[in-house]
Amino acid sequence: MKMSLSMTVNGVAREHEVEPRLLLVHYLREVLNLTGTHVGCDTSTCGACTVRLDGQAVKSCTMFAIQADGSEVKTIEGFAGEGGQLHPVQEGFWECHGLQCGYCTPGMIIAAAQLIERTPQPTEAQIRHGLEGNLCRCTGYQHIVEAVQYAAKKS
Amino acid sequence: MAKKFVGQSIKRTEDPRLIKGLGHYVDDIKLPETLHVAFVRSMYAHARVKEVDVSEAINAPGVVAVYTGADASALIGPVPCASALPDLKVPDHRVLATDKVYFVGHPIAAVVATNAYAARDAVDLIMVDYEELTPVVDVEEAAAEGGPFIHEKFGDNIAYKLTAGEGDIDAALAGADHVIKQRIVNQRLAPIAMEPRGVLARYLPGEEELTIWSSTQIPHLLRTQLALMIGMPENKLRVITPEVGGGFGSKLNVYAEEALLGWISMRLAKPVKWIETRRENMQATIHGRGQVGYLEIGCMNDGTLAGLRYNVFADLGAYYQLLTPAIPTLTGLMLSGCYKIPAIQINVTGVFTNKVATDAYRGAGRPEATYVVERALDLVAQELSMDVVEVRRKNFPAPEEFPFHTATGLFYDSGNYEGALKKALEMSDYAKLREEQAKARAEGRIVGIGVSTYVEICALGPSQAMPAGGWESATVRIEPTGKVTIMTGASPHGQGQETSFAQIAADELGVDIKDVTVIHGDTSIVQYGIGTFGSRATAVGGTAVFIAIQKLKEKAHKIASHLLQADATNVAFGESGFSLQKAKAAVASGVEVPEPDLPVGQAPAGALPEPETDGKHVTLQDVALAAHLAKDLPPDMEPGLSVTYFFEPKNFTFPFGTHIAVVEIDRETGDIKFQRYVAVDDCGKVINPMLVDGQIQGGIVQALGQALYEEVVYDEQGQLVTGTLMDYAIPKAAMLPHFELARTETPTDVNPLGVKGVGEAGTIGATPCIVNAVVDALAPFGVRHLDMPLKPETIWKLIH
Amino acid sequence: MKIEGTHELRAARERVYKALTDPRVLQRCIPGCERLEKTGEDSYAATLRTGVGSIKGVFNGSVKLEEMRPPEHYRMVVDGKGQPGFLKGSGNLDLEEAGDGAATVIKYTGEVQVGGTIASVGQRMIQGAAKMMASQFFTALEAEAQTVEGDPPPTHGFFRTALRWFSGWLRRIFQNRSK
Amino acid sequence: MIPAQFDYVAPATIDEAVSLLSQHQDEAKILAGGHSLIPAMKLRLAQPQLLIDIGRIKDLSYINEQDGQIRIGAMTTHYQLESNERLRAICPLLPECAAHIGDVQVRNKGTIGGSVAHADPAGDWPAAILALDAEMVAVGQQGERVIKAADFFVDMLTTALAPGEILREIRINAQDVGGRLGQSYMKVAQPASGFAVVGVAVNLALDAGGVCQSSRIGITGVAVKAYRASGVENALKGRVLDSQIIAAAAEHAADAVDANEDLYASADYRRHLARVYTRRAIEAASSRAH
């Protein structure tokens, strides 16, 4: 049983027929070929699949695409501003070496952006707590914390 | 030439694509008509497979083929192990289980379907009839005589026994004033690269070419091994390593799935893809550590070390992966730590268990050694009531004693252990920390200070000591337009070689870093290479780049001199290219050098420009162009401007450092909180300090994971009970302290860059530091040693 | 994993023992047991559709009764395999008379093993689930043993079973408190 | 990780959802936030044939005050509760508990109704629900009924919701005590999953003199289901809450509790943590009441 689905992804209206069991992350990656959103676990633990759904950071591996019918989704590919201007968080990650292998990075950036929206001048502890839904195995997080601090200052 | 880039915290050139989500990991590569593979894996640790019924699955919607061990295992060679040890028993490790399954997650059948969903659905339709066998789980019990045996033909579960070391250990321990014994466990860990493994294979029947995209640390070694496994000419097999989402050793391997996917693609003449799930990753990607050892350390009353013996049972798992049996031998090599120990002996018993193989995980055998040695030093200090710093100092070799020969047979290249220690003591204000600790204890608080002074063996390594070559390769090419292309065999997975190697090249060639591109991870483009592991990429691979550049410059120099119509000794290379040294020229020739008559001006549109020179100066770009146009080259000069160099290091390097941790324990709950974490690391010369810090921080966090949180647990039935990231805890941001980092810089003479390597330093130095801190905190409760991970409950029980 | 516990059933021991060894009763009492067919002396092929909450699976396997010493002891061995993995359980049940023969105290000590997906992802809940199923079993058994022989069997709707067990649990808590 | 196939409906009204659920019973599952159900489905430990997504039903997501009660729609997300300013003033336990759940992304999508109806033994909400003596409004084919918190959590992953019933609303009686209120939620999180090893929700009412008029303490993570620590509550009642009284009372936090055991914590240690965190949570609540 396929169902029709329409949503706006990175500002572009999309319409497809999908199986209800199709996970949002697979819709983005396999159907729309937006492969910047990654899958790192099976249990909604790692946060690599984080996207913005109607303005909120969510784990796209833990919802069905059909649940996002009618929604607005923003993925890392749509995160830079007009003319490719990097988002301050993207800039911070680059400036402060907030990534090594880069696999967790898209999810980390989206979670960090939400954090700064909700807590514009976060303390180090708030940043660390705010990123509890995102795992990174490379950086030890310290440069990520600095990246978020950089972005908060810039925002 | 002034170094504009080396030594600077240059922002990484690989980052823009990664922060925009535009990089391509294996699963991001889409080929038309790709089929998807899912595996049926054993739910038992040890069982006989009586029947695999695929009849229902084969008829399921979307299913194209199902392969079992009966179909594939005879046609694909065994999964390779590159370690050759005397009398090593080598089990026949096939890509799919045939008659028996040996661990939970052991692949039994591969389902191929038109999409990943259909493949997964069909997995549930395959019926496996198992006859359960008694699992062998505990490594020490497994080593004991009497069954059950995992590989019946061997008659026991002992893969090998090995004794190594120098000096008369029995006499050393007999002559020691004190001999301290301790059982020490290095628990099994899961590497957990954030990107699980993945393979995409495409066979082109016309071209008879097989391309395998794999998330691997070793594209070339993988190509060679896969060619052997699937009987494919190596020059028709191409391995591409796209973006790799972390490895930590887990992708320094050749896996059954890589061969099987290639083989399936050849049979079906379609691209096939398999992306590992995290559960599969926990079950079937290698684990690290897994050692149960018995330490004996002998010392004199004044703290001088007399000898160290370590009898260790290494939990190898049921089968070998690429380096499985070799890992404990690295433990043996590093048992001297950064101390003068006259006699050392390691006795390794490699043991088969019904678990997935252990293999190289960040540090690979050396963290185990450092942990043992650094725990040993604290045990000595406790026994003698000495300060842990004094005991260490007492046994350091002095800087002038280098190269320092250890009783494990190594020659440490260079070191200033006191220097790093002193800096860490100053940074942490160690004396004051001890005062504060005394005060805190008087108030009933439980505070501990941990110190570890470590040395590690890096830059793996001389080929003599390596299973498959210890050199590394680089090609440096200056394109006709002057752009610099570097091809490195040290295929990275997050380390940032695209930046750090470009830094080296930009400085050496006097070009902008933006004009340098580093290519890696494609065996059809890049000359044969070894890979990135063992903290070797910069020290060995970077050196290959450096030397290739020197050779390339020699050639360019000759061409430039020719273009300038000057003797090479009168031409100097500087930031803007090659210039005629007039004074020198005058001295040499006694006359004014005539202006060369060379074509000047715009080339016609669409054609290549012509090299330009004003007769006094020629840019590198123009030299490159001239080299490629080859219209005016010195006689017998080979056209082109490209050099490939294979660098063979003459020794390992030995980075070192001191870590100091301060912890406070919640008396009521046993919770550990960090107050300080200071790390002074010496990795020789530094190319990019920001990247070095990143490596150290990441390494410390993995060490902290081992010390406090991580442990792969198999229950008594061999079931993997830490099967997801909901059960296996890797550190999160909020669990960690802010690290205070500093460096000392003791160059090595093993390579001309003076770099030693840093990828594993944090992991090696930090684990014992943290455990030492906690044990120090608990010393008033009579605690001498604790096994990791240091769970709050364990600590709470000790306190109460 | 070991589980153990004690349940007091308000029914006479002979009657409880009889119920415990009656395959029709067992089928009704073993949580989710859809099928229990005799395959030999005291051994049965079974299909269990069981789980807790939304976590459910179908297991095919066997139930065996061993070491039968009426009316005081026997041992039940359950073994099942299915898509989510396998489960194996064995329990020694010792029956003692209580309350002047009107009640029976069953002491059980058992071993539960699970494998496959349920073992690798359900670690934190397995013990609780095993206890819960043991409770459901004994609660249902009590109802069975309280019926008059020949009467229609009680129904063990999951909800009713759970509620009955819950009230029993509350009662125990209050009894403990009043001690 | 790929779930098995299922049919999907997103009814527009709760009546429609109830009717679908009654029709399909065990074969169907309600999809609220999905943060417990979808992981289980991906592991194929749950394979419902029909998912009834109540996310499209209007007006299931709200926090309002009516008839002296705080009323929370079942589809209200953890984040909505965490960030609600009015709740911080009148029932701070709710936002505080919400902030301890999972992580930011989970709180953005996960719902209180889904979480409470799932009744995870280590979920955070059940502790708060018990401490607030909340009422669960269930809708079934026979209409609505109200289930008291004390009756709601039946066993591991098992609630008093009948098959065919959907949790529609959670009601919390606004505190009508004349004195001062103090609430707190404290938790030991399992380092991998973030689930509660122990989670203690405390809801105190003190009179002007600091005497404890009433207290309700809900504890999660320790047993197969969350429970009220009535032994502690009794020991606090009528007392001025100094640290000795609190410490002595907290000793009853795990009385007669058959505690869970897992890789992270033994039953003994869980009971111990329950006592320690009960004391700490009462101290925090009591200091806030002053």
Side-chain angles (χ1 to χ4, degrees):
Chain A
M1 181 188 77
K2 288 209 169 184
M3 306 187 70
S4 61
L5 164 72
S6 63
M7 66 174 91
T8 307
V9 182
N10 299 333
V12 181
R14 302 287 199 162
E15 274 191 45
H16 286 95
E17 295 280 310
V18 300
E19 267 194 289
R21 65 169 168 162
L22 182 70
L23 295 166
L24 178 60
V25 68
H26 290 151
Y27 176 70
L28 296 170
R29 290 182 49 83
E30 305 303 325
V31 181
L32 303 185
N33 204 25
L34 292 167
T35 56
T37 304
H38 299 145
V39 178
C41 71
D42 314 327
T43 45
S44 34
T45 317
C46 81
C49 66
T50 302
V51 299
R52 282 175 82 102
L53 175 77
D54 297 326
Q56 302 215 75
V58 299
K59 291 181 175 175
S60 64
C61 76
T62 311
M63 61 182 292
F64 300 110
I66 196 74
Q67 287 178 276
D69 187 29
S71 293
E72 241 179 77
V73 172
K74 192 184 262 191
T75 70
I76 190 68
E77 289 92 339
F79 225 67
E82 298 286 315
Q85 178 70 35
L86 290 181
H87 186 281
V89 177
Q90 287 175 311
E91 208 183 301
F93 272 70
W94 193 11
E95 288 291 334
C96 303
H97 189 31
L99 62 151
Q100 289 178 27
C101 82
Y103 198 76
C104 74
T105 308
M108 202 63 93
I109 286 174
I110 291 173
Q114 173 112 91
L115 169 73
I116 293 173
E117 274 168 26
R118 291 181 179 173
T119 316
Q121 291 304 321
T123 62
E124 175 165 353
Q126 284 172 323
I127 294 170
R128 287 177 180 275
H129 182 66
L131 296 176
E132 67 198 330
N134 294 75
L135 297 178
C136 169
R137 191 65 156 164
C138 294
T139 63
Y141 302 99
Q142 191 148 315
H143 282 163
I144 292 178
V145 170
E146 288 165 17
V148 178
Q149 286 167 334
Y150 175 98
K153 239 177 255 162
K154 272 231 93 149
S155 298
Chain B
M1 219 155 49
K3 293 212 186 310
K4 276 160 68 180
F5 298 104
V6 168
Q8 304 298 312
S9 289
I10 305 291
K11 285 197 291 180
R12 296 203 317 174
T13 51
E14 37 280 83
D15 287 1
R17 63 176 188 266
L18 299 174
I19 57 178
K20 293 179 197 160
L22 301 177
H24 286 88
Y25 302 84
V26 172
D27 196 20
D28 304 339
I29 296 165
K30 315 279 182 189
L31 300 177
E33 295 189 71
T34 297
L35 302 173
H36 294 261
V37 176
F39 286 94
V40 176
R41 292 180 184 274
S42 175
M43 65 165 104
Y44 291 98
H46 195 192
R48 207 169 294 288
V49 178
K50 294 198 292 193
E51 199 198 340
V52 183
D53 180 357
V54 304
S55 52
E56 203 180 335
I58 198 86
N59 293 314
V63 173
V64 174
V66 180
Y67 299 104
T68 65
D71 306 316
S73 280
L75 301 175
I76 304 175
V79 177
C81 170
S83 322
L85 294 171
D87 302 320
L88 180 69
K89 293 172 194 158
V90 182
D92 186 20
H93 181 184
R94 296 287 155 172
V95 294
L96 290 172
T98 49
D99 55 335
K100 273 175 77 175
V101 283
Y102 291 105
F103 59 95
V104 168
H106 192 165
I108 295 171
V111 179
V112 189
T114 50
N115 65 68
Y117 280 51
R120 173 62 188 87
D121 287 347
V123 164
D124 286 348
L125 303 176
I126 292 176
M127 301 299 152
V128 182
D129 190 7
Y130 300 93
E131 177 194 334
E132 273 184 79
L133 300 169
T134 309
V136 177
V137 183
D138 180 85
V139 65
E140 290 181 88
E141 286 172 21
E145 280 180 30
F149 303 129
I150 295 173
H151 304 287
E152 285 102 348
K153 65 174 179 180
F154 295 146
D156 59 20
N157 294 316
I158 295 178
Y160 69 97
K161 286 193 175 193
L162 185 116
T163 294
E166 295 174 10
D168 186 341
I169 184 66
D170 291 321
L173 293 177
D177 292 335
H178 304 260
V179 175
I180 306 153
K181 296 184 181 183
Q182 182 61 52
R183 182 179 189 267
I184 290 182
V185 178
N186 254 287
Q187 78 272 32
R188 259 186 187 246
L189 302 176
I192 315 280
M194 287 319 299
E195 182 210 20
R197 290 186 291 131
V199 187
L200 169 64
R202 180 192 61 192
Y203 182 68
L204 299 173
E207 291 84 345
E208 297 181 342
E209 279 175 10
L210 175 63
T211 304
I212 290 182
W213 287 261
S214 184
S215 185
T216 183
Q217 299 171 228
I218 47 165
H220 283 95
L221 299 182
L222 179 64
R223 184 188 68 178
T224 304
Q225 294 293 345
L226 291 182
L228 296 170
M229 286 174 83
I230 48 187
M232 179 84 196
E234 191 175 1
N235 52 4
K236 291 284 190 185
L237 178 57
R238 176 182 188 181
V239 172
I240 299 178
T241 304
E243 221 70 76
V244 176
F248 314 111
S250 70
K251 296 170 182 172
L252 159 56
N253 229 306
V254 177
Y255 285 100
E257 294 89 349
E258 293 171 312
L260 198 55
L261 268 276
W263 181 83
I264 293 172
S265 178
M266 289 171 75
R267 288 179 81 90
L268 301 177
K270 287 259 175 74
V272 289
K273 187 187 261 187
W274 165 72
I275 301 299
E276 189 182 53
T277 65
R278 181 58 64 191
R279 281 196 64 222
E280 289 183 297
N281 179 260
M282 306 292 293
Q283 292 180 345
T285 290
I286 62 106
H287 293 158
R289 318 283 188 260
Q291 292 188 358
V292 177
Y294 293 84
L295 163 78
E296 289 169 79
I297 177 105
C299 63
M300 308 313 287
N301 285 327
D302 68 351
T304 309
L305 299 176
L308 184 155
R309 176 152 54 204
Y310 190 50
N311 296 333
V312 61
F313 295 92
D315 178 354
L316 304 178
Y319 280 135
Y320 301 146
Q321 283 288 341
L322 195 62
L323 302 169
T324 301
I327 303 302
T329 65
L330 286 170
T331 306
L333 283 180
M334 289 315 293
L335 277 177
S336 194
C338 44
Y339 311 107
K340 295 193 271 192
I341 309 178
I344 295 177
Q345 186 183 63
I346 185 168
N347 297 297
V348 182
T349 307
V351 184
F352 293 118
T353 57
N354 283 121
K355 306 175 195 169
V356 76
T358 48
D359 203 307
Y361 166 56
R362 202 171 194 171
R366 293 105 85 208
E368 293 90 319
T370 306
Y371 182 67
V372 168
V373 175
E374 290 305 299
R375 285 298 309 126
L377 268 283
D378 269 30
L379 288 166
V380 167
Q382 202 171 13
E383 173 92 6
L384 302 176
S385 300
M386 280 176 79
D387 186 89
V388 293
V389 170
E390 284 322 302
V391 141
R392 284 171 167 80
R393 271 196 171 127
K394 182 113 206 151
N395 293 285
F396 281 163
E400 56 276 13
E401 288 180 71
F402 288 83
F404 171 67
H405 176 244
T406 68
T408 59
L410 294 171
F411 286 90
Y412 292 175
D413 54 346
S414 62
N416 182 356
Y417 302 151
E418 176 62 30
L421 174 65
K422 194 156 165 272
K423 191 158 187 175
L425 294 176
E426 283 166 10
M427 270 175 75
S428 61
D429 202 347
Y430 180 76
K432 188 151 168 252
L433 287 179
R434 286 289 177 200
E435 281 170 29
E436 285 168 359
Q437 180 188 34
K439 214 189 296 169
R441 279 184 174 162
E443 291 164 10
R445 288 159 57 204
I446 307 175
V447 173
I449 301 162
V451 176
S452 84
T453 52
Y454 74 92
V455 60
E456 55 160 339
I457 181 168
C458 282
L460 307 185
S463 295
Q464 288 295 338
M466 298 283 290
W471 45 268
E472 194 50 87
S473 68
T475 295
V476 177
R477 189 167 71 214
I478 305 186
E479 310 292 357
T481 55
K483 301 288 180 193
V484 179
T485 304
I486 293 174
M487 284 171 279
T488 173
S491 184
H493 43 287
Q495 292 82 356
Q497 272 108 287
E498 289 177 34
T499 307
S500 56
F501 287 8
Q503 286 177 261
I504 296 170
D507 273 352
E508 290 301 317
L509 294 171
V511 299
D512 193 275
I513 196 165
K514 290 196 186 80
D515 290 329
V516 184
T517 289
V518 179
I519 297 175
H520 53 81
D522 184 337
T523 61
S524 286
I525 297 178
V526 179
Q527 72 292 336
Y528 206 95
I530 303 298
T532 293
F533 56 87
S535 304
R536 68 191 305 277
T538 309
V540 190
T543 300
V545 170
F546 178 83
I547 298 177
I549 291 171
Q550 306 314 315
K551 293 187 176 291
L552 180 131
K553 273 159 65 176
E554 283 170 27
K555 179 172 180 180
H557 199 120
K558 285 180 191 155
I559 298 171
S561 307
H562 179 76
L563 294 176
L564 294 171
Q565 298 185 347
D567 188 89
T569 53
N570 296 334
V571 175
F573 184 63
E575 263 178 49
S576 53
F578 294 90
S579 305
L580 203 55
Q581 302 287 296
K582 280 198 175 147
K584 266 192 189 172
V587 170
S589 65
V591 292
E592 196 73 0
V593 179
E595 294 291 315
D597 185 18
L598 279 168
V600 175
Q602 284 298 116
L608 277 169
E610 294 291 327
E612 282 183 49
T613 170
D614 56 6
K616 295 178 189 143
H617 178 263
V618 60
T619 63
L620 190 62
Q621 285 84 342
D622 285 313
V623 171
L625 183 58
H628 284 89
L629 294 178
K631 290 178 185 163
D632 183 22
L633 289 179
D636 301 326
M637 168 70 74
E638 187 186 351
L641 195 50
S642 172
V643 170
T644 299
Y645 185 74
F646 291 69
F647 173 64
E648 170 66 45
K650 61 180 190 287
N651 191 4
F652 302 103
T653 61
F654 296 87
F656 57 91
T658 296
H659 288 207
I660 296 179
V662 185
V663 299
E664 175 153 10
I665 289 167
D666 182 328
R667 180 180 286 273
E668 283 188 310
T669 63
D671 271 337
I672 298 163
K673 287 231 156 43
F674 284 90
Q675 293 182 338
R676 298 278 299 277
Y677 196 99
V678 171
V680 176
D681 294 276
D682 191 322
C683 57
K685 289 277 187 193
V686 168
I687 308 289
N688 186 325
M690 189 162 74
L691 303 197
V692 166
D693 284 352
Q695 288 295 322
I696 295 284
Q697 288 161 1
I700 293 173
V701 170
Q702 284 183 351
L704 189 148
Q706 173 170 24
L708 302 187
Y709 302 109
E710 298 180 35
E711 182 176 27
V712 172
V713 180
Y714 286 91
D715 70 10
E716 64 280 7
Q717 293 302 306
Q719 289 294 325
L720 176 65
V721 291
T722 49
T724 71
L725 291 178
M726 297 279 275
D727 304 289
Y728 186 90
I730 68 169
K732 299 175 187 174
M735 300 169 171
L736 306 167
H738 186 92
F739 307 116
E740 303 162 55
L741 305 187
R743 272 190 296 279
T744 57
E745 198 171 288
T746 309
T748 178
D749 60 2
V750 172
N751 61 64
L753 293 173
V755 302
K756 288 192 164 189
V758 72
E760 294 154 299
T763 318
I764 288 168
T767 314
C769 175
I770 295 162
V771 175
N772 285 349
V774 173
V775 172
D776 181 54
L778 297 171
F781 300 92
V783 175
R784 275 167 32 106
H785 178 74
L786 281 172
D787 278 326
M788 303 178 288
L790 307 175
K791 290 187 189 173
E793 174 165 6
T794 315
I795 294 167
W796 169 72
K797 279 186 181 147
L798 284 167
I799 297 173
H800 295 278
Chain C
M1 181 190 320
K2 289 202 167 17
I3 59 163
E4 54 184 22
T6 304
H7 281 260
E8 186 171 329
L9 276 61
R10 285 158 299 163
R13 180 163 75 157
E14 302 281 344
R15 181 81 185 85
V16 171
Y17 195 90
K18 197 162 181 193
L20 268 174
T21 50
D22 177 343
R24 285 163 306 173
V25 174
L26 281 180
Q27 186 190 333
R28 293 194 295 267
C29 293
I30 295 173
C33 186
E34 289 188 340
R35 180 180 72 104
L36 197 70
E37 283 166 14
K38 198 171 173 78
T39 51
E41 184 71 14
D42 300 322
S43 62
Y44 306 89
T47 300
L48 308 177
R49 183 180 296 274
T50 190
V52 282
S54 55
I55 312 297
K56 280 199 183 69
V58 180
F59 299 88
N60 282 301
S62 63
V63 174
K64 281 184 201 147
L65 308 182
E66 300 172 349
E67 299 171 15
M68 299 182 67
R69 292 197 299 275
E72 63 200 27
H73 175 88
Y74 88 137
R75 174 180 169 80
M76 187 183 337
V77 181
V78 181
D79 191 339
K81 281 192 198 74
Q83 187 272 327
F86 66 83
L87 54 87
K88 290 191 278 187
S90 60
N92 287 302
L93 284 76
D94 289 292
L95 287 70
E96 282 170 23
E97 287 192 331
D100 299 330
T104 308
V105 171
I106 301 184
K107 284 187 185 153
Y108 70 91
T109 57
E111 183 78 28
V112 177
Q113 284 167 15
V114 295
T117 310
I118 35 181
S120 66
V121 305
Q123 207 272 332
R124 71 190 172 92
M125 294 213 207
I126 289 165
Q127 199 193 34
K131 282 184 200 163
M132 182 172 165
M133 286 185 198
S135 290
Q136 285 171 13
F137 174 78
F138 289 113
T139 307
L141 184 71
E142 181 175 34
E144 291 280 351
Q146 283 170 349
T147 58
V148 177
E149 272 179 270
D151 275 6
T155 51
H156 305 296
F158 185 64
F159 176 58
R160 284 185 50 190
T161 307
L163 266 188
R164 205 179 299 128
W165 178 79
F166 181 57
S167 57
W169 186 80
L170 273 184
R171 199 167 51 241
R172 282 198 307 281
I173 296 246
F174 287 123
Q175 281 162 358
N176 280 334
R177 186 140 311 128
S178 58
K179 272 175 204 164
Chain D
M1 284 280 119
I2 294 160
Q5 284 180 330
F6 55 82
D7 289 332
Y8 172 92
V9 277
T13 66
I14 191 124
D15 291 342
E16 216 181 307
V18 165
S19 135
L20 281 162
L21 186 60
S22 309
Q23 209 177 313
H24 295 273
Q25 297 266 345
D26 255 10
E27 314 279 83
K29 281 299 292 180
I30 296 291
L31 176 63
H35 275 64
S36 300
L37 181 59
I38 295 176
M41 289 175 68
K42 285 166 67 183
L43 294 161
R44 302 204 173 196
L45 290 175
Q47 301 196 13
Q49 295 184 0
L50 176 69
L51 268 197
I52 304 169
D53 182 357
I54 57 172
R56 308 261 162 204
I57 299 173
K58 278 207 178 64
D59 303 330
L60 274 183
S61 166
Y62 54 84
I63 301 164
N64 58 36
E65 289 164 77
Q66 202 185 321
D67 304 335
Q69 288 184 317
I70 302 165
R71 297 187 169 186
I72 302 164
M75 287 298 286
T76 308
T77 64
H78 309 312
Y79 178 69
Q80 286 172 314
L81 287 149
E82 177 187 358
S83 58
N84 187 290
E85 288 302 326
R86 175 73 183 145
L87 286 183
R88 280 189 199 179
I90 60 170
C91 190
L93 179 54
L94 286 169
E96 192 178 3
C97 182
H100 278 86
I101 297 168
D103 52 55
V104 179
Q105 294 96 314
V106 168
R107 297 197 288 275
N108 281 343
K109 191 83 181 76
T111 63
I112 186 169
S115 174
V116 168
H118 179 62
D120 192 296
D124 296 289
W125 280 129
I129 292 292
L130 288 169
L132 294 168
D133 204 14
E135 295 170 353
M136 267 50 72
V137 180
V139 200
Q141 287 220 296
Q142 274 73 48
E144 283 195 356
R145 68 181 179 119
V146 170
I147 309 168
K148 300 286 287 178
D151 302 327
F152 189 79
F153 300 105
V154 173
D155 206 326
M156 179 189 273
L157 306 179
T158 309
T159 68
L161 287 171
E165 276 186 328
I166 296 174
L167 176 60
R168 186 179 70 74
E169 185 180 81
I170 293 160
R171 294 176 182 167
I172 290 148
N173 287 313
Q175 312 274 335
D176 48 8
V177 191
R180 305 178 310 235
L181 297 173
Q183 299 180 333
S184 79
Y185 182 69
M186 282 195 179
K187 169 184 181 179
V188 180
Q190 206 273 3
S193 66
F195 272 109
V197 176
V198 170
V200 183
V202 174
N203 184 17
L204 297 174
L206 309 185
D207 71 11
V211 174
C212 177
Q213 291 186 306
S214 78
S215 68
R216 283 193 296 264
I217 293 159
I219 299 182
T220 188
V222 178
V224 289
K225 64 186 189 94
Y227 62 91
R228 279 272 293 275
S230 26
V232 183
E233 295 171 3
N234 294 338
L236 294 175
K237 187 151 190 172
R239 313 295 294 263
V240 175
L241 300 188
D242 62 28
S243 56
Q244 276 185 336
I245 295 287
I246 292 173
E251 285 302 303
H252 298 288
D255 284 358
V257 170
D258 189 0
N260 298 338
E261 200 161 78
D262 61 15
L263 278 182
Y264 185 76
S266 69
D268 272 353
Y269 184 58
R270 266 200 165 74
R271 281 190 287 265
H272 169 72
L273 286 180
R275 293 188 279 265
V276 171
Y277 275 79
T278 297
R279 194 198 73 226
R280 292 179 182 182
I282 297 170
E283 274 170 355
S286 138
S287 73
R288 289 169 191 176
H290 283 84

